[in-house]
Amino acid sequence: MNLKKYATSLFAGIAFFGVSILAQDTPEQVQAVQAQSNKVLEDAGRNFKQGLDAFKANKREESGASFNKAVEVFLYSSLNIQRDQRLQGCYQQLIETVYRLEFPNASQPPQIAQLSATCGWGWNAADQKIADEVAQISKNSIQTGPTSTVGSTASDAKITPASLVGFNEQSYEPSPRDELAKLELTQDELQVETNPVAQQQYQYIQYVVANKSLGFSFQVHPKIQQFINYYRGRGRSTMEVGLYRSGMFMRMARRIFKEEGIPENVAWLGQVESMWKPTAMSWAAASGLWQFIPGTGARYGLRRTAHVDERNSFDEATRASARYLKFLYNRYGNWELAIAGYNCGEGNVDRAIRRAGVTNFWSAYPYLPRETRDYVPNILATILIANSPAQYGFGNVRPAPPLQYDRIRVPASTSLSLLAQASDTSVQYLRYLNPHLRSNMTPPEPYIVNVPAGKANDVVAVFKRIPASKVNNTNLATSVQGESWQTISNRTGVSVADLMAANPGMSSPKGKVFVPVSEGNRITATSYSRPSNSSVAGLQSNIKVVKAQSGDTVKKVAERNGVDPVEVAKYNGLLPNSVLGAGREIKIPQGGMK
């Protein structure tokens, strides 16, 4: 990953039409621009320093929020960053340094001292000591060694959990694969011939395979029935949860696998990999629905940058999984070995085949890694149960409704706050629909994101009206019939003249209207939404602004201030359970509330 290329693409994707120093500028104007430039650097340095303090204290979420604010100081500035070499150099090194802290790499450690010198932060000895300690923590979080995961090779690095927590990214969940690797079948589960029910089910497997009912063939083996025995007993809850969650993603997975020429039922591999959790992560840094390690994910086009980790995406990661499986099937000519290769990498499978002397999974079985030996029959058992749940005692499970969303392309570095306002949802829900986004900003190039179903046209309409240069300096307010510019001005704090200038051709508010962000280094954007049952004009005269603390939700802030959480949520365009970043300003209407 070349961060300099990303910094370049950022400036290519965003038009900064702010203040710049021209030859005809007066000395006073030059001094004003220089003062603004110094303020940007000062604010960025302060936020970055706070991020280092939090990082040292292992408060990853807080450090991520502070690092994001340091970056956003540049994005929300009215200055032309690209034309100011000092600002551009500081910005580029800041992006790279934060990336190196998030993704520790022994050969490319974070150059914090160099960043400080470039930005002219003039740190004292105490500040430099903290910077050195953070760099050492980052270095210590790296362990090298072979992994055992999707497409793993000896060159892949095992990364400690501490280094994978991330900053502002989604919270990870333990991968079910880790438990699978430790699973030991009991003597009762191993019994097939002496168990009448198991024997009957085993004969059913032979019938299904012979009739090619699943859309692909595999060799029947008692080990498959043994995993069915496990799921019908102590593994029942695991199967029930997986069958339920499969409803959210299986329709999408079947479609993509079919498009890629892969038997649709092979997509049930996702249940064993992640239990259909997009944020599942294994001990070896395999991540997402399809548990890609970074190296294999990169082979199939899944980027892992400071902005995104596409291994956690829905559609892109599913397509990458199908293509990897297709490659493996073409290599081995049967699905058992292809699935084995997905688990341990083609290198391990090739060695097992050489030792077995035949391209057959069950012949190569003794020479494969232990986890892979169980992995293949486990998936085949899952496929059989999923296709005939009533046959195996799971007819009571009703899959969850499919997760529905629209996909649209948005401009470079678009704030999720603006997207949330345009699609009438919360930033939290957008993060849920886009678990691959590592922050509340889209990547620095036009990028496809998921928005709530049925909202694509609304969002596209907003971006057609808003100039590219104003994407990150504009909020939205939802107006109601009969509302005036003055009432919107009252609740947003923006003058009527500025509101009308931001909405040319609109004599009175209609639908969503643009609310320009004031010049300067505005870091926290606010969503403006008109309360449905309160008089805005009446409330505005008595507004209290409070700052959220780490871990706060709208409900916690409201209760702390003795007001109704639902009304506070409505007034700020959020939900009562919306999680707030530390320092976010929340308006608390004081009049007419319980």
Side-chain angles (χ1 to χ4, degrees):
M1 154 70 186
N2 189 329
L3 263 292
K4 293 183 179 178
K5 289 184 179 179
Y6 270 89
T8 301
S9 65
L10 172 62
F11 296 121
I14 304 177
F16 288 96
F17 294 107
V19 180
S20 59
I21 301 175
L22 303 176
Q24 65 269 30
D25 285 341
T26 65
E28 291 77 12
Q29 290 173 319
V30 172
Q31 289 179 0
V33 171
Q34 289 177 341
Q36 291 182 57
S37 177
N38 291 337
K39 184 68 162 56
V40 167
L41 294 171
E42 178 185 343
D43 289 350
R46 183 181 65 256
N47 284 293
F48 183 78
K49 175 61 169 54
Q50 291 173 353
L52 292 180
D53 291 338
F55 188 99
K56 179 185 174 184
N58 200 30
K59 298 178 180 179
R60 296 282 177 144
E61 186 174 351
E62 290 184 23
S63 67
S66 295
F67 290 147
N68 269 356
K69 286 182 179 181
V71 173
E72 288 168 355
V73 166
F74 292 89
L75 293 177
Y76 292 137
S77 169
S78 62
L79 296 173
N80 189 323
I81 307 298
Q82 191 174 12
R83 294 185 180 179
D84 188 315
Q85 292 184 355
R86 186 172 58 146
L87 292 180
Q88 183 178 4
C90 180
Y91 178 84
Q92 290 176 329
Q93 288 196 29
L94 175 63
I95 287 287
E96 183 159 357
T97 302
V98 171
Y99 176 76
R100 295 305 172 195
L101 287 170
E102 284 195 282
F103 297 109
N105 186 310
S107 62
Q108 293 179 301
Q111 301 295 328
I112 302 176
Q114 183 178 336
L115 171 66
S116 173
T118 300
C119 299
W121 288 336
W123 285 353
N124 57 34
D127 294 334
Q128 189 56 55
K129 181 180 178 181
I130 292 176
D132 293 340
E133 291 173 345
V134 167
Q136 188 61 44
I137 292 172
S138 177
K139 180 179 178 181
N140 291 343
S141 70
I142 305 168
Q143 296 178 4
T144 57
T147 65
S148 176
T149 184
V150 178
S152 60
T153 66
S155 62
D156 291 313
K158 174 185 173 183
I159 305 176
T160 62
S163 67
L164 294 167
V165 173
F167 298 136
N168 227 18
E169 60 188 325
Q170 301 281 4
S171 298
Y172 286 110
E173 304 173 79
S175 169
R177 284 254 314 277
D178 292 343
E179 291 301 316
L180 169 64
K182 298 181 288 186
L183 178 64
E184 294 279 357
L185 295 177
T186 66
Q187 287 300 314
D188 286 343
E189 291 162 352
L190 292 171
Q191 295 302 321
V192 175
E193 293 184 1
T194 59
N195 183 327
V197 174
Q199 184 61 31
Q200 184 179 17
Q201 291 176 347
Y202 187 55
Q203 293 173 358
Y204 175 75
I205 297 175
Q206 295 171 321
Y207 170 80
V208 168
V209 173
N211 284 273
K212 301 182 179 179
S213 303
L214 299 175
F216 72 103
S217 297
F218 55 87
Q219 184 177 341
V220 179
H221 190 279
K223 195 75 173 177
I224 302 170
Q225 180 60 45
Q226 290 169 2
F227 272 95
I228 290 177
N229 293 345
Y230 164 74
Y231 283 122
R232 293 184 67 248
R234 61 191 175 113
R236 170 170 290 277
S237 62
T238 299
M239 177 59 65
E240 288 178 340
V241 171
L243 291 176
Y244 172 78
R245 289 187 59 85
S246 72
M248 301 173 68
F249 300 104
M250 196 59 188
R251 179 189 295 178
M252 175 268 295
R254 284 185 179 276
R255 171 180 58 80
I256 291 176
F257 272 53
K258 183 178 181 180
E259 291 171 356
E260 295 294 332
I262 304 298
E264 295 177 35
N265 273 314
V266 177
W268 285 104
L269 173 147
Q271 179 156 318
V272 176
E273 285 289 342
S274 67
M275 199 68 73
W276 304 110
K277 295 177 181 179
T279 53
M281 177 173 281
S282 76
W283 69 271
S287 186
L289 287 171
W290 306 98
Q291 290 292 283
F292 278 102
I293 59 170
T296 309
R299 281 171 55 189
Y300 288 89
L302 300 178
R303 295 185 300 166
R304 185 170 182 254
T305 74
H307 308 282
V308 295
D309 188 342
E310 291 177 340
R311 298 176 302 156
N312 296 103
S313 62
F314 300 156
D315 297 69
E316 290 80 7
T318 301
R319 195 168 299 278
S321 175
R323 289 176 176 174
Y324 185 37
L325 283 163
K326 188 173 186 177
F327 162 80
L328 292 166
Y329 178 77
N330 290 337
R331 186 183 186 97
Y332 300 118
N334 69 76
W335 284 109
E336 297 101 305
L337 287 172
I339 293 171
Y342 193 93
N343 177 255
C344 66
E346 51 266 35
N348 283 322
V349 175
D350 290 346
R351 284 190 290 272
I353 290 173
R354 284 197 299 269
R355 296 184 67 182
V358 60
T359 308
N360 176 277
F361 173 76
W362 296 108
S363 297
Y365 181 91
Y367 310 111
L368 288 166
R370 178 189 175 280
E371 179 184 341
T372 306
R373 295 200 297 266
D374 286 345
Y375 177 84
V376 174
N378 190 341
I379 288 175
L380 296 176
T382 299
I383 292 172
L384 287 159
I385 293 173
N387 277 270
S388 301
Q391 171 79 15
Y392 295 101
F394 293 94
N396 62 307
V397 180
R398 294 291 179 267
L403 183 61
Q404 309 235 0
Y405 49 88
D406 293 342
R407 288 168 61 77
I408 60 172
R409 189 181 299 274
V410 298
S413 299
T414 295
S415 165
L416 292 194
S417 176
L418 179 62
L419 270 177
Q421 295 167 57
S423 57
D424 297 315
T425 189
S426 65
V427 170
Q428 285 72 25
Y429 189 63
L430 286 180
R431 293 297 299 273
Y432 175 74
L433 291 179
N434 297 274
H436 53 296
L437 296 181
R438 295 182 54 79
S439 72
N440 292 339
M441 190 80 68
T442 65
E445 76 255 15
Y447 196 76
I448 294 175
V449 296
N450 303 326
V451 297
K455 292 295 182 179
N457 290 339
D458 294 343
V459 177
V460 170
V462 166
F463 283 104
K464 282 184 176 179
R465 290 171 50 208
I466 188 171
S469 60
K470 299 296 184 182
V471 166
N472 284 314
N473 285 302
T474 302
N475 286 317
L476 297 177
T478 302
S479 62
V480 296
Q481 188 174 4
E483 192 169 15
S484 69
W485 288 117
Q486 185 59 57
T487 58
I488 294 179
S489 174
N490 290 342
R491 61 185 163 103
T492 62
V494 178
S495 70
V496 170
D498 286 344
L499 287 169
M500 295 184 70
N503 297 271
M506 191 181 291
S507 58
S508 60
K510 183 179 180 181
K512 286 184 170 59
V513 299
F514 295 137
V515 180
V517 175
S518 58
E519 290 188 0
N521 299 316
R522 180 177 178 136
I523 293 175
T524 303
T526 305
S527 300
Y528 297 107
S529 179
R530 190 179 196 277
S532 58
N533 59 352
S534 302
S535 169
V536 176
L539 293 177
Q540 188 65 31
S541 61
N542 192 14
I543 298 296
K544 178 182 178 182
V545 179
V546 299
K547 289 188 176 182
Q549 301 172 8
S550 177
D552 267 351
T553 62
V554 171
K555 183 179 180 181
K556 287 183 181 179
V557 172
E559 290 176 346
R560 194 158 59 234
N561 288 273
V563 292
D564 184 353
V566 174
E567 294 301 322
V568 174
K570 289 180 180 179
Y571 195 77
N572 289 273
L574 299 168
L575 299 173
N577 62 348
S578 293
V579 179
L580 305 172
R584 174 162 183 173
E585 292 184 351
I586 295 296
K587 293 182 179 180
I588 307 291
Q590 299 293 292
M593 298 185 66
K594 298 178 181 179

